Amino acid sequence: MVHGRPKALLGHLSPGLWMLIGVVTATVEKEFSPDCREFVYMNTLPVGIGGSSTLVKICQRYNGKPRYLTLYDTAGRVPLYSAYTFKRSDGMKSVDVPWMYEPQLSTTSETGEMQSFPQGYMHQNFEDAQAVLEDYTNAIAYERGALNPDEHQGDPDDKAATYTLTNVVPQVREFSVGPWKAQEHAVRRRLNNYCRGTAYVITGIVPSGNHIRRYNMDRVTIPAYLWSAYCCIKYDHNAPYDERYKFPAYAHYGPNEKDSNQVLELSVKKLEDFIKKSTIVDKNFQLFLDDCVPPGSALP
């Protein structure tokens, strides 16, 4: 598959859908609450991204607690990024966790927590602003790839909370189960072994011009690239050099393709430069406050 040119998450919306977005924006947090900002370094969100009216902030809540946060595009029906704190993990996946949707994006929402998809008929207002299971049914070339993967969480509820379609993008199967999964495992082992404090992770996409289609309609934006970065300021300074130089922050990205899909590790600054060249963000775009360097400290 050949992707279209990467573009910003800005979609053409009908007047009716623009009206729905207005309702959606009112039901989703305009600014993340303090308990949800705990998932980003220094309680500071990425700068220079998210100016479109189709992007909404979701504090991903499950079983009475916030679990992570997501910047979600209601036009492309994909997350632009999810930000979470890494938890020590053996890498085992959850089993028997049902896929969920986000009631905050529904015009009839009575809860701020993600819910399992109901059986049977689903009202159209579920589908207008978010992906549904049927979008992936016949998209056999794609996996439902989580930006916050359950392998990076330890608590069963934290793992379960990753199974919402507002945390999922279409990943080409060969890329998802191959290079990208291998890199998720590599980061998990690195943070397990050498991060001594909290590791803040942001994982996102560079959109392409292509979509999963259903009923002859563009439904779900397909990423051209996936990227991820972490920040851990308290780490083992006696770690082997080939791991130590990847602290306090490091990053990676890869093309969402069947072939030629190797993942590249690089500094956070170089990742930011790549994202600036690949999609529309502000010139002051920055993932972590002060590039994840605490005041008064120096890099090793």
Side-chain angles (χ1 to χ4, degrees):
M1 182 189 67
V2 178
H3 286 293
R5 182 180 178 183
K7 65 175 185 176
L9 281 173
L10 301 173
H12 175 73
L13 302 178
S14 66
L17 189 50
W18 275 115
M19 292 177 64
L20 175 63
I21 296 301
V23 175
V24 167
T25 303
T27 59
V28 177
E29 298 182 5
K30 292 183 178 180
E31 296 297 335
F32 285 114
S33 57
D35 59 350
C36 211
R37 282 179 174 264
E38 293 178 1
F39 301 110
V40 288
Y41 174 63
M42 299 293 286
N43 303 118
T44 303
L45 296 170
V47 174
I49 189 171
S52 169
S53 61
T54 67
L55 300 179
V56 295
K57 300 179 176 71
I58 301 175
C59 186
Q60 301 278 18
R61 300 177 185 274
Y62 178 77
N63 202 14
K65 289 178 57 179
R67 306 292 171 171
Y68 57 101
L69 62 84
T70 297
L71 184 65
Y72 190 80
D73 178 59
T74 56
R77 301 178 184 88
V78 287
L80 188 57
Y81 67 74
S82 284
Y84 59 95
T85 51
F86 173 85
K87 313 298 193 306
R88 292 183 64 85
S89 167
D90 59 8
M92 298 297 292
K93 291 179 66 69
S94 295
V95 294
D96 299 328
V97 176
W99 283 101
M100 292 176 276
Y101 72 99
E102 182 49 68
Q104 295 179 76
L105 297 178
S106 168
T107 57
T108 59
S109 173
E110 295 181 357
T111 177
E113 290 199 4
M114 60 184 73
Q115 301 289 319
S116 299
F117 278 100
Q119 297 294 319
Y121 177 73
M122 177 171 289
H123 192 276
Q124 183 67 34
N125 66 22
F126 284 84
E127 298 192 11
D128 285 339
Q130 62 187 300
V132 294
L133 293 173
E134 287 79 0
D135 290 322
Y136 287 88
T137 299
N138 295 318
I140 58 176
Y142 300 98
E143 298 281 311
R144 288 170 286 199
L147 298 187
N148 173 10
D150 72 345
E151 296 97 323
H152 283 190
Q153 301 298 328
D155 180 83
D157 280 353
D158 287 338
K159 285 178 173 289
T162 66
Y163 287 86
T164 168
L165 291 190
T166 53
N167 179 48
V168 160
V169 299
Q171 289 186 18
V172 174
R173 176 172 174 76
E174 289 79 2
F175 174 66
S176 177
V177 302
W180 191 254
K181 184 60 63 179
Q183 187 62 34
E184 285 181 343
H185 288 327
V187 169
R188 177 183 59 81
R189 290 191 296 268
R190 183 181 304 151
L191 297 179
N192 270 348
N193 292 334
Y194 304 115
C195 180
R196 298 294 181 256
T198 300
Y200 300 91
V201 186
I202 304 174
T203 301
I205 67 169
V206 172
S208 77
N210 293 336
H211 301 79
I212 290 177
R213 292 176 61 83
R214 184 162 62 93
Y215 300 137
N216 293 319
M217 295 176 58
D218 289 343
R219 283 289 303 167
V220 183
T221 295
I222 298 169
Y225 295 90
L226 273 76
W227 54 262
S228 185
Y230 63 80
C231 166
C232 171
I233 61 173
K234 295 181 180 179
Y235 59 94
D236 184 356
H237 289 259
N238 294 317
Y241 176 76
D242 61 351
E243 295 287 2
R244 189 172 71 250
Y245 83 88
K246 296 173 182 176
F247 286 93
Y250 219 58
H252 59 271
Y253 75 89
N256 188 31
E257 299 282 357
K258 181 176 181 179
D259 302 304
S260 301
N261 55 14
Q262 293 306 301
V263 172
L264 175 66
E265 282 200 288
L266 71 176
S267 69
V268 173
K269 203 70 174 175
K270 288 182 178 178
L271 173 64
E272 291 169 345
D273 290 341
F274 169 77
I275 294 172
K276 288 177 184 178
K277 294 175 183 177
S278 302
T279 190
I280 299 175
V281 293
D282 294 346
K283 62 182 180 180
N284 65 337
F285 173 65
Q286 188 176 61
L287 290 171
F288 301 116
L289 179 68
D290 296 329
D291 296 322
C292 186
V293 178
S297 68
L299 291 176

